[in-house]
Amino acid sequence: MSKSQRFINHFLSHRKVTEELVSKISKDHYEYNPTPTSMSTKELVIHMLTSFYRFAAFATQQTPKQLHEEDAEINITELAERYTKETVSLIETMSDEDFKTEIDVTHIIGVKLPAGQLLQLALDHEINHKGNLFVYVREMGHTDLPLFVNIG
Amino acid sequence: MSKSQRFINHFLSHRKVTEELVSKISKDHYEYNPTPTSMSTKELVIHMLTSFYRFAAFATQQTPKQLHEEDAEINITELAERYTKETVSLIETMSDEDFKTEIDVTHIIGVKLPAGQLLQLALDHEINHKGNLFVYVREMGHTDLPLFVNIG
């Protein structure tokens, strides 16, 4: 299996869980936040989706597209589907060799990293914030929640 | 760098953040839980520490030691240090070849996995629950929180 396919499988084993959590969130909970200093639910979900997509664009040395309007009437379930599709499309273009390409992300995180490590960081970021989202969604009253990863 | 050293570095880049969060939790918050169906803070931290240690024991085909008494007067900061040390000690014993050894964990997660993938699952589990813990700790009133990973 190619490195990109293996990484996509790992990514989707978590993103599918993110999508399942997002699908439970009704519009009246979009502004929910656990504390005044927390991101709102909508902000958190958009942060997860856009961060991974941008990290994937950096890793593949592509210019990220504008995939949504900030001021539009947003449906986060649809947004998740759109960002997942575009993120996978970027990673699919990578050869095994491309995972070793050094990427300069000093302007974001202060370091240069091989593309593979940058993608790993993107995935760790997703899992971290999905861990936040689990608490948010439970606080909204949902108790029938998926396992943190889709082992499938 | 050996696979075990690379994995230990990745593990510690997250575990150090777990330890920093745990060090902020005072004893009067050990029983704090965000909702009635959530794990309490103490349960969550112990679950994170013992799960990683047991996954590492499975991955290295060692019998896990009893590292604490369930009914003891527990200090979760000290417990975190102890479990981190013992978890690293187990992983340090692994050769690059050992990462390919198939481990039967059908009794826990229903699958057989190479040891390296089992350790990856353990790390994803840690990051997920650390993501939960960030929300718990913010709800306790702490707002000066570390980045989700210690990039060093």
Side-chain angles (χ1 to χ4, degrees):
Chain A
M1 196 189 292
S2 68
K3 279 182 189 247
S4 65
Q5 195 52 56
R6 202 175 313 132
F7 184 80
I8 288 168
N9 290 349
H10 193 189
F11 165 52
L12 291 178
S13 75
H14 288 286
R15 176 54 65 89
K16 291 295 169 197
V17 178
T18 303
E19 291 184 351
E20 189 172 341
L21 292 177
V22 168
S23 74
K24 292 179 183 292
I25 301 167
S26 59
K27 287 221 169 189
D28 56 321
H29 279 129
Y30 279 15
E31 300 306 323
Y32 175 77
N33 62 356
T35 79
T37 64
S38 308
M39 280 188 271
S40 75
T41 305
K42 190 175 82 175
E43 283 170 343
L44 176 59
V45 171
I46 292 176
H47 173 66
M48 292 170 71
L49 301 176
T50 56
S51 297
F52 211 126
Y53 176 64
R54 284 176 195 151
F55 275 122
F58 282 123
T60 54
Q61 298 174 292
Q62 304 283 316
T63 306
K65 292 184 280 189
Q66 174 82 24
L67 292 180
H68 77 278
E69 299 294 328
E70 285 300 333
D71 58 355
E73 181 67 18
I74 284 173
N75 176 313
I76 56 176
T77 301
E78 287 172 18
L79 211 62
E81 280 174 29
R82 189 184 314 162
Y83 274 92
T84 301
K85 186 165 167 282
E86 295 287 344
T87 302
V88 168
S89 291
L90 286 173
I91 301 166
E92 276 176 343
T93 65
M94 293 174 76
S95 68
D96 281 15
E97 205 56 37
D98 289 339
F99 277 71
K100 297 178 194 157
T101 306
E102 189 174 78
I103 308 291
D104 186 351
V105 279
T106 44
H107 58 299
I108 315 176
I109 50 172
V111 286
K112 293 179 187 178
L113 287 175
Q117 277 188 43
L118 184 60
L119 288 179
Q120 182 62 56
L121 187 65
L123 187 50
D124 290 359
H125 181 266
E126 170 94 5
I127 301 169
N128 169 64
H129 284 307
K130 173 159 57 62
N132 302 154
L133 193 60
F134 265 102
V135 183
Y136 282 47
V137 171
R138 192 176 286 278
E139 290 180 351
M140 290 172 195
H142 298 283
T143 52
D144 186 19
L145 300 180
L147 188 66
F148 80 101
V149 62
N150 190 329
I151 298 179
Chain B
M1 194 188 293
S2 67
K3 278 182 189 251
S4 65
Q5 194 52 56
R6 201 176 312 133
F7 184 80
I8 288 168
N9 290 349
H10 192 190
F11 165 51
L12 291 178
S13 74
H14 288 287
R15 177 53 66 87
K16 290 296 170 197
V17 179
T18 303
E19 290 183 352
E20 188 172 342
L21 292 177
V22 168
S23 74
K24 292 179 183 291
I25 302 167
S26 58
K27 287 220 170 192
D28 55 322
H29 278 130
Y30 279 16
E31 299 307 324
Y32 174 77
N33 62 356
T35 79
T37 64
S38 307
M39 280 188 271
S40 75
T41 304
K42 190 175 83 175
E43 283 170 343
L44 176 60
V45 171
I46 292 176
H47 173 66
M48 292 170 71
L49 301 176
T50 57
S51 297
F52 211 125
Y53 176 64
R54 283 176 194 152
F55 275 124
F58 282 124
T60 55
Q61 298 173 294
Q62 303 284 316
T63 305
K65 292 184 279 189
Q66 174 83 21
L67 293 180
H68 78 278
E69 298 294 328
E70 284 301 332
D71 58 353
E73 182 68 17
I74 283 173
N75 176 312
I76 56 176
T77 301
E78 287 172 18
L79 211 63
E81 281 174 29
R82 189 184 315 162
Y83 273 92
T84 301
K85 186 165 166 283
E86 296 286 344
T87 302
V88 168
S89 290
L90 285 173
I91 301 166
E92 275 175 344
T93 65
M94 293 173 76
S95 68
D96 281 15
E97 204 56 36
D98 288 339
F99 277 72
K100 297 178 194 157
T101 306
E102 188 173 79
I103 308 292
D104 186 351
V105 280
T106 43
H107 58 301
I108 313 176
I109 50 171
V111 286
K112 292 180 186 178
L113 287 175
Q117 277 189 43
L118 185 60
L119 288 179
Q120 181 62 56
L121 187 65
L123 186 50
D124 290 358
H125 181 265
E126 170 93 6
I127 301 169
N128 169 64
H129 284 307
K130 174 160 56 63
N132 301 154
L133 193 61
F134 265 101
V135 182
Y136 282 47
V137 171
R138 192 176 287 278
E139 290 180 352
M140 290 170 195
H142 299 283
T143 53
D144 185 19
L145 301 180
L147 188 66
F148 80 101
V149 62
N150 190 328
I151 298 179

